[in-house]
Amino acid sequence: MPLKDRVDDLLRRLTKDEKIGLLHQYQAAVPRLGIRPFRTGTEALHGVAWLGPATVFPQAVGLASTWNPALIRRVGAAVGDEARGFQHERPEGWGLNLWAPVVNLLRDPRWGRNEEGYSEDPYLTGAISTAYGTGLQGDDPVHLKTAPTIKHYLANNNETRRTTSDSVLRPRVLKEYDEAAFRPALSADAVTGVMSSYNLVNGRPATVHPGLTDTVRTWAKKDLFNVTDADAPNNLLPGNQDYYPTRAEGDAAALRAGIDSFTTDSAEPGKTVQALTTALAKGLIDEADLDTAVRHALGIRFRLGEFDPDGGPYAKIDKSVIDSPAHRALARETAAEAVVLLKNEHAALPLDAKALKKVAVVGPLADTLYTDWYSGSLPYAVTPLKGVTERLGPGGTVTTSEGVDRVAFRNKATGGYLTGGGGASGAVLTEQGGDAGATGQFDVFDWGQGVVTLRNVANGKYVGYDGKAFRNDQEQPNGWYVQQQFVLERQDDGSRLIRYAGYETAADWFGDKTYLTADAAGTLRLTTQDDAARYEAEVVRGGVEHAVEAVRGADAAVVVVGSMPCINGREDHDRADRALAAGQTALVKAVRAANPRTVVVLETSYPVTTTWEQEHVPAIVWTTHAGQETGHAVAGVLFGDHNPAGRLTQTWYRSEDDLPDLLDYDIIAADRTYLYFRGDPLYPFGHGLSYTTFRYGRPELSARTVDGDGTVTVSVQVTNTGERDGDEVVQLYTHQRASRDKQPLKQLRGFARVPLKAGRSTTVRLPLRAADLAHWDVTRGRWVVESSVHDVWVGASSGDVRGRVTLRVNGAEIPARDLARTTRAADFDDYRGVRIVDESKVRGDAVGATGKGDWIVFRDAELGAGVRMFTARVAKESGGSGTVQIRLGSPDGPLAGTAEVCSTGDRYAYHTVTARLRGARGRHDVHLVFSDAMRLSTFSLR
């Protein structure tokens, strides 16, 4: 039977209670119908996570740095296969609904989850997410290999106060930027649903955002299955978002907005069942609302083959695919393609393995691989040191040092040393007298912002805290609350206070008792700063000095530095800055001074401000944390076995001063991202070098003029003029010269990763649709392709244009504003002080003034022979009265009229106000100036 008939047939057989039982993340079994339990939400961001050893591909930002959708589709297919392989184990509460890809734009590199996204650019994000989602789903026209869920809808690019922060999106930013990242994968049916984000959007929690139905479902050709983020339904209640007073009202609103599955209360569906049952009894929802959501849930399960006798075409994929040789090879290929060569002065790279006798590989990331929160467990680990050693072979010598201080901490008052234990499980840390042997020595890793981790020398395990005691038993920093973090606070006498800085301290679980001391028996405990023990940090071995010895006399020195994904930025924690840790910077400088043939390998989850390194180090290579094959990928690039062609997917800024406030989402007004940034970046969007050189011919257009609904082809000949084979990533950008509205300085419109043998040429052809040059016209609430001349640029990055040509587009002209018709206040052209807020709890935006002198402007309004009346819908929650002034030309221009606004007592209670106008004729910029806090929904001038 057709899918719809099968779903409807099963839906009719369900009772109301059974339907409600299918709306929680842990869908209840219905034994009488043979329906098994089902769970949404297997993590698969860059490999299947949390289920045991599985192939770990590069972090998502690394996947995108390949600029190779065909490769990423293969990666998605491999991850989908492994998800199916785990399905045969079917641990309790696991299923084939995958929570990936993440398409939230990397608008600000300080975002704690930077590694989860793809790019600051919506076009590139759309291409990569579509490829990954398509691979996850499989190629069968009817059945799904897995059901990927795109996240997090909408405008989620900060962790600071993430459940209460408000992403304020003016219409152009919403349409042209944030929605544009979600639309491609949904329109291509490459994903099967969206996850709502934690934040508010224009004052309304994303959990109840009407776009979950009104927008995203209009893009997709097939039914979507939408889920909430973890515990987001509880966030709607008092004490957090305070949007609804009860779960029944909140869950009902979410269901009506377009949520089909409630991810909350872990594996306990009771609260969701009770809330929806209550909502149904009170008439907040009806059975048709239940049917809509359940139909979406069942549709996914049918497409996954769950109700087919043979399980569908993907049911035979077994666990043999997990970490298979083919997937290992793919992980290596992907990690290599993701590497970006940032700098290569005087051809410092590639290294010649045959000529080198001694190579030094040093740094805190030289011989370790770190995983992130959404990584799977590494089935094996090829570190940079292992990769270089393997590549250099038995004929060469590799020296190494992690470049970190080895320290013994002696209590200045008692003389006792902090001491751990040997063996895999270590021991509870105590203070002990005598000498500091291996159990009393710790390698101190500096991760920046003062945060360090302490690894015990005796067993190579990190010190962590379990809420009761400190023990050296951790393989690496990990967990939701990363409990392996400390700060060594230097005192005037040279001693140190050791402050415990685990993430739960940020939640203020410990109050002011975050410092280490010991009782009379030597047992460590937490206390206040005033009562803290003072420790003398006795350096057993200086890290910088040890590294310098390793690199002295080496034919090449490779310094591997970077970030630890669980520290100083991760889910629920944004970064305070993007600087390389001070200790790591000191290491790089010392190594560079000791050996001029220094190469820096940056292994980070986000851009870093390596301005000194760019100026002084001959060669710099960047990779994200790239999984099990990181070392092979790094070594392959260093020795030229792989000619790097990775490209940056976001701007690397020189300073924090280049960035506006983290919570400012108006990229247009704030000149944010490469689209609008007017400064000089450290590395521009799209940057990446090669070991060969490429010459671009003059770009040609298939037509010099195009209509608004037409397409042209941009062709350019590219020649590999070097002596090595290599890939070039040809990038196409445009800029609209003239417009009614502020336009991007440049915008990516197409790209192609092109392999070219040395001395060979090829013609790259990139289609350019005039419709893609449209922007959102706030005067009429529609997309518009304006008549204009566009600069068409082809080059190797957004900052390296190799050829240009002009294209004339015959589109439309945006007419003068007609304010005689009802105009939404949020469709302003510019503003000061105001925020866009929720017009009601269900849908709609309004403008919220916050104080005296706030204003919005509607440019180029045609008032004709004169308008006489201003009419507006205004809400004023606070007491007293206020005013809206109508001024012409500027916020302090001629006053045309003043509307008196009385208190309405509620932010959602709108009254109609009017004002008689004088002198309002001709063509003007119309400013509405507010006297104090109020909300303006719509207005007209007639």
Side-chain angles (χ1 to χ4, degrees):
M1 296 172 64
L3 174 64
K4 181 181 182 301
D5 293 348
R6 297 180 72 190
V7 172
D8 287 345
D9 176 75
L10 183 53
L11 182 64
R12 284 193 296 269
R13 300 171 188 270
L14 294 168
T15 67
K16 291 180 184 178
D17 290 342
E18 289 168 343
K19 292 174 183 177
I20 291 174
L22 296 176
L23 299 183
H24 188 262
Q25 178 187 18
Y26 287 78
Q27 295 180 20
V30 185
R32 70 181 185 86
L33 296 177
I35 299 176
R36 300 173 64 187
F38 185 88
R39 178 187 186 270
T40 68
T42 294
E43 300 295 350
L45 183 62
H46 53 111
V48 180
W50 305 357
L51 296 179
T55 306
V56 178
F57 293 93
Q59 291 175 308
V61 68
L63 296 179
S65 71
T66 67
W67 289 61
N68 190 340
L71 174 64
I72 302 310
R73 181 169 179 167
R74 290 166 55 206
V75 172
V79 176
D81 284 348
E82 296 203 6
R84 277 282 177 174
F86 277 111
Q87 179 72 356
H88 285 276
E89 302 289 313
R90 199 176 175 101
E92 184 179 355
W94 183 76
L96 292 170
N97 174 240
L98 307 187
W99 286 353
V102 172
V103 298
N104 297 114
L105 293 164
L106 306 184
R107 169 195 65 104
D108 193 305
R110 294 169 296 190
W111 185 34
R113 304 177 75 167
N114 192 86
E115 71 271 11
E116 295 183 38
Y118 292 128
S119 173
E120 69 184 31
D121 179 75
Y123 179 88
L124 179 59
T125 295
I128 299 298
S129 60
T130 299
Y132 191 63
T134 300
L136 290 173
Q137 284 195 157
D139 299 322
D140 189 88
V142 176
H143 289 86
L144 296 167
K145 182 190 298 182
T146 67
T149 301
I150 203 169
K151 58 182 188 177
H152 312 79
Y153 186 82
L154 176 70
N156 178 203
N157 184 232
N158 66 273
E159 301 302 295
T160 302
R161 304 188 304 278
R162 64 178 183 164
T163 64
T164 57
S165 64
D166 187 7
S167 303
V168 178
L169 304 179
R170 61 199 290 188
R172 283 194 62 200
V173 175
L174 170 68
K175 297 294 184 181
E176 298 173 25
Y177 193 64
D178 285 283
E179 284 187 355
F182 285 84
R183 186 167 186 167
L186 286 158
S187 296
D189 284 323
V191 293
T192 60
V194 302
M195 173 187 283
S196 61
S197 56
Y198 283 125
N199 54 287
L200 288 75
V201 179
N202 294 346
R204 183 182 295 108
T207 308
V208 293
H209 196 284
L212 291 165
T213 290
D214 297 349
T215 302
V216 299
R217 293 194 195 278
T218 66
W219 295 334
K221 302 177 187 69
K222 298 179 181 178
D223 282 346
L224 298 178
F225 176 63
N226 296 339
V227 306
T228 74
D229 208 337
D231 280 327
N234 287 324
N235 295 338
L236 294 168
L237 304 180
N240 199 301
Q241 294 168 342
D242 196 18
Y243 210 68
Y244 289 101
T246 66
R247 269 290 298 268
E249 291 166 278
D251 284 10
L255 192 71
R256 284 186 174 273
I259 290 296
D260 303 311
S261 179
F262 292 80
T263 313
T264 186
D265 308 311
S266 298
E268 299 300 326
K271 291 183 179 179
T272 297
V273 170
Q274 181 181 8
L276 292 173
T277 301
T278 301
L280 187 63
K282 291 186 174 182
L284 301 174
I285 56 175
D286 54 33
E287 191 167 2
D289 296 314
L290 298 180
D291 288 350
T292 296
V294 173
R295 183 176 285 108
H296 296 153
L298 293 178
I300 291 298
R301 294 176 67 170
F302 271 106
R303 293 175 66 195
L304 286 168
E306 181 178 348
F307 304 127
D308 290 358
D310 61 356
Y314 298 108
K316 292 183 175 60
I317 299 175
D318 61 28
K319 61 187 300 183
S320 66
V321 300
I322 300 171
D323 186 37
S324 65
H327 290 179
R328 290 185 174 194
L330 182 60
R332 182 170 181 169
E333 178 185 358
T334 308
E337 286 211 11
V339 174
V340 181
L341 181 62
L342 296 176
K343 179 184 179 182
N344 193 24
E345 190 174 63
H346 305 307
L349 290 175
L351 304 175
D352 185 349
K354 295 180 180 179
L356 297 176
K357 301 300 183 183
K358 179 183 177 182
V359 175
V361 183
V362 302
L365 285 90
D367 196 27
T368 190
L369 296 184
Y370 289 116
T371 55
D372 60 46
W373 176 246
Y374 288 106
S375 289
S377 301
L378 295 174
Y380 61 91
V382 181
T383 68
L385 175 63
K386 290 179 180 177
V388 171
T389 302
E390 177 185 313
R391 180 61 182 83
L392 195 60
T397 300
V398 178
T399 57
T400 189
S401 167
E402 290 178 303
V404 300
D405 290 341
R406 180 164 292 179
V407 174
F409 296 99
R410 188 178 69 86
N411 188 313
K412 191 172 182 180
T414 67
Y417 286 95
L418 283 186
T419 304
S425 59
V428 173
L429 263 64
T430 58
E431 285 186 4
Q432 297 182 14
D435 296 330
T439 56
Q441 298 175 22
F442 300 87
D443 292 328
V444 181
F445 290 80
D446 179 7
W447 298 113
Q449 302 177 47
V451 174
V452 301
T453 53
L454 306 175
R455 190 184 64 193
N456 191 259
V457 172
N459 67 349
K461 298 293 183 68
Y462 289 88
V463 177
Y465 184 61
D466 62 5
K468 297 179 180 178
F470 294 91
R471 179 186 291 269
N472 60 310
D473 63 349
Q474 301 295 302
E475 290 289 341
Q476 65 173 249
N478 62 84
W480 180 254
Y481 294 104
V482 185
Q483 299 170 327
Q484 298 82 29
Q485 300 175 96
F486 301 88
V487 175
L488 308 179
E489 297 182 355
R490 183 181 293 275
Q491 305 302 296
D492 292 339
D493 63 358
S495 66
R496 304 292 185 100
L497 304 185
I498 302 179
R499 177 165 61 85
Y500 171 60
Y503 273 170
E504 62 266 60
T505 62
D508 200 27
W509 289 5
F510 299 93
D512 59 354
K513 293 184 177 181
T514 57
Y515 290 83
L516 270 61
T517 191
D519 59 22
T523 302
L524 291 180
R525 60 182 175 85
L526 290 173
T527 187
T528 63
Q529 182 177 12
D530 292 340
D531 190 42
R534 296 193 173 212
Y535 291 95
E536 292 182 335
E538 299 178 354
V539 179
V540 178
R541 186 181 72 195
V544 169
E545 294 78 11
H546 192 251
V548 166
E549 285 301 312
V551 305
R552 188 170 283 125
D555 299 318
V558 178
V559 192
V560 190
V561 292
S563 67
M564 199 285 144
C566 292
I567 294 177
N568 290 336
R570 201 207 69 187
E571 183 171 354
D572 205 31
H573 294 271
D574 290 315
R575 270 174 285 282
D577 63 55
R578 295 168 297 111
L580 203 60
Q584 296 186 31
T585 298
L587 174 66
V588 172
K589 290 180 177 179
V591 169
R592 174 67 179 88
N595 192 322
R597 297 174 296 279
T598 293
V599 175
V600 168
V601 175
L602 294 172
E603 190 176 333
T604 69
S605 304
Y606 52 89
V608 286
T609 50
T610 48
T611 50
W612 186 92
E613 289 78 5
Q614 171 61 21
E615 184 176 351
H616 295 94
V617 176
I620 305 174
V621 168
W622 174 79
T623 176
T624 190
H625 297 276
Q628 61 211 49
E629 287 287 344
T630 299
H632 280 147
V634 169
V637 167
L638 292 178
F639 287 96
D641 303 321
H642 180 83
N643 192 346
R647 299 292 186 265
L648 298 180
T649 67
Q650 57 189 137
T651 305
W652 285 41
Y653 298 98
R654 293 182 178 274
S655 166
E656 309 300 325
D657 296 337
D658 291 331
L659 292 168
D661 184 88
L662 176 65
L663 299 180
D664 184 352
Y665 275 74
D666 190 344
I667 67 164
I668 298 175
D671 289 336
R672 191 190 280 269
T673 79
Y674 87 96
L675 295 166
Y676 296 96
F677 181 61
R678 298 179 181 276
D680 178 28
L682 179 63
Y683 304 115
F685 172 82
H687 172 74
L689 305 178
S690 171
Y691 293 149
T692 189
T693 55
F694 296 94
R695 183 180 66 241
Y696 285 65
R698 179 179 176 81
E700 297 180 354
L701 299 176
S702 58
R704 300 301 296 267
T705 302
V706 65
D707 291 336
D709 59 355
T711 299
V712 297
T713 300
V714 183
S715 302
V716 62
Q717 187 180 66
V718 180
T719 303
N720 183 342
T721 54
E723 298 179 353
R724 291 176 177 267
D725 299 346
D727 290 4
E728 174 69 336
V729 179
V730 180
Q731 301 167 41
L732 172 66
Y733 296 87
T734 67
H735 168 69
Q736 185 172 329
R737 289 186 180 180
S739 174
R740 178 194 183 277
D741 302 308
K742 182 177 179 179
Q743 292 294 323
L745 302 173
K746 60 179 71 72
Q747 187 162 2
L748 182 70
R749 302 298 188 182
F751 64 89
R753 181 163 174 152
V754 182
L756 270 178
K757 293 188 177 298
R760 300 297 296 272
S761 299
T762 190
T763 298
V764 178
R765 295 178 176 85
L766 298 170
L768 178 61
R769 297 172 63 243
D772 293 336
L773 304 177
H775 75 280
W776 189 254
D777 174 17
V778 293
T779 71
R780 295 172 295 175
R782 67 178 69 164
W783 291 99
V784 61
V785 178
E786 289 182 287
S787 292
S788 180
V789 172
H790 289 254
D791 294 309
V792 178
W793 296 321
V794 177
S797 80
S798 64
D800 185 6
V801 173
R802 303 292 185 89
R804 63 191 70 208
V805 68
T806 58
L807 173 68
R808 179 170 295 280
V809 177
N810 295 323
E813 180 180 349
I814 299 176
R817 273 195 185 265
D818 178 9
L819 299 182
R821 62 182 185 179
T822 300
T823 300
R824 299 207 64 83
D827 286 333
F828 54 72
D829 286 296
D830 203 356
Y831 62 101
R832 188 185 71 183
V834 304
R835 297 178 67 86
I836 300 180
V837 296
D838 50 336
E839 182 180 18
S840 73
K841 288 190 174 183
V842 178
R843 58 173 35 84
D845 292 335
V847 166
T850 58
K852 184 177 181 180
D854 289 358
W855 54 262
I856 53 178
V857 62
F858 300 83
R859 300 200 188 283
D860 191 30
E862 178 56 72
L863 306 182
V867 292
R868 298 183 179 182
M869 184 66 68
F870 169 80
T871 304
R873 293 183 67 244
V874 185
K876 190 173 188 298
E877 185 175 20
S878 59
S881 61
T883 61
V884 179
Q885 294 181 338
I886 302 91
R887 292 184 176 271
L888 306 180
S890 70
D892 55 1
L895 178 64
T898 301
E900 298 290 334
V901 180
C902 297
S903 173
T904 63
D906 187 282
R907 69 185 66 181
Y908 302 122
Y910 291 87
H911 289 184
T912 299
V913 300
T914 60
R916 292 194 175 277
L917 304 176
R918 292 190 298 269
R921 63 177 62 89
R923 210 152 165 169
H924 295 278
D925 293 345
V926 175
H927 287 74
L928 304 182
V929 185
F930 303 93
S931 66
D932 58 336
M934 63 183 73
R935 293 183 172 207
L936 173 60
S937 171
T938 59
F939 73 97
S940 63
L941 276 65
R942 293 173 180 158

